Amino acid sequence: MNKHSKVDAAKISLLDIITLKGSIDLADETMAIVKPAGYSFEFKTDSHIQPDDKLIRFYLHSSIKCFNETEQLNGVTADYTLEFIFEVSNLLEFIMLDDVKQTIKVDNQLGVTIASIAYSTARGVIFDKTQGTPLDGVILPVINPLNLIK
């Protein structure tokens, strides 16, 4: 890891976005016609690094629960897991191999950049995938991408 390297967006390519899971569950069919009054969101992330190929696979799992006007769960939930495959041409400048623990540590600056790109892309993907469903119009909140990689 080179402390003097700055993330250069021109050296990052988003190669693919894969929906590994996408589901909307209803407690019963009547929920399909009731527009939620609010949402709660939970996010989990994971990543795998392939240094030889200069690839980072970033996984984002989003869980959405819907609420009615009295802030009670209304029985509508959704889960999406997306995989983002990034190529970082100068990846070796931002990673450190720990042979003892058999792990790879990624510089925080690059980690936040990758998380930010993935999350902002996921916001559009999930918005699009929920059109015409009981979650029609759901938009993932704006968040600090640092919270995704902690």
Side-chain angles (χ1 to χ4, degrees):
M1 212 171 338
N2 183 345
K3 292 285 184 190
H4 304 293
S5 293
K6 290 182 78 173
V7 173
D8 180 355
K11 295 184 179 184
I12 300 173
S13 299
L14 178 55
L15 302 180
D16 205 355
I17 305 165
I18 303 162
T19 302
L20 300 176
K21 177 182 180 182
S23 66
I24 297 174
D25 297 311
L26 308 174
D28 61 61
E29 286 87 34
T30 62
M31 302 316 308
I33 58 171
V34 178
K35 181 150 175 80
Y39 307 94
S40 72
F41 304 92
E42 289 183 22
F43 305 104
K44 295 179 185 169
T45 62
D46 195 9
S47 60
H48 296 280
I49 299 164
Q50 297 169 239
D52 295 339
D53 299 322
K54 299 178 183 168
L55 296 179
I56 296 177
R57 294 175 178 274
F58 187 86
Y59 302 89
L60 176 65
H61 175 79
S62 304
S63 292
I64 306 167
K65 293 180 182 173
C66 301
F67 293 90
N68 60 23
E69 294 80 15
T70 60
E71 298 184 14
Q72 301 296 313
L73 291 173
N74 75 355
V76 178
T77 61
D79 286 291
Y80 289 93
T81 302
L82 303 173
E83 176 184 16
F84 300 86
I85 302 173
F86 293 92
E87 180 179 51
V88 182
S89 63
N90 62 339
L91 179 61
L92 297 179
E93 295 177 25
F94 294 97
I95 63 172
M96 184 171 58
L97 305 173
D98 185 336
D99 293 328
V100 176
K101 293 182 182 178
Q102 298 294 315
T103 60
I104 299 173
K105 174 133 174 74
V106 176
D107 180 85
N108 221 29
Q109 185 182 29
L110 179 61
V112 169
T113 300
I114 294 295
S116 182
I117 295 167
Y119 184 77
S120 62
T121 304
R123 293 180 78 220
V125 168
I126 292 172
F127 177 81
D128 184 61
K129 289 183 177 289
T130 59
Q131 293 294 304
T133 75
L135 277 87
D136 193 31
V138 69
I139 300 174
L140 299 183
V142 174
I143 64 169
N144 182 343
L146 183 60
N147 294 337
L148 291 173
I149 63 171
K150 285 185 176 178

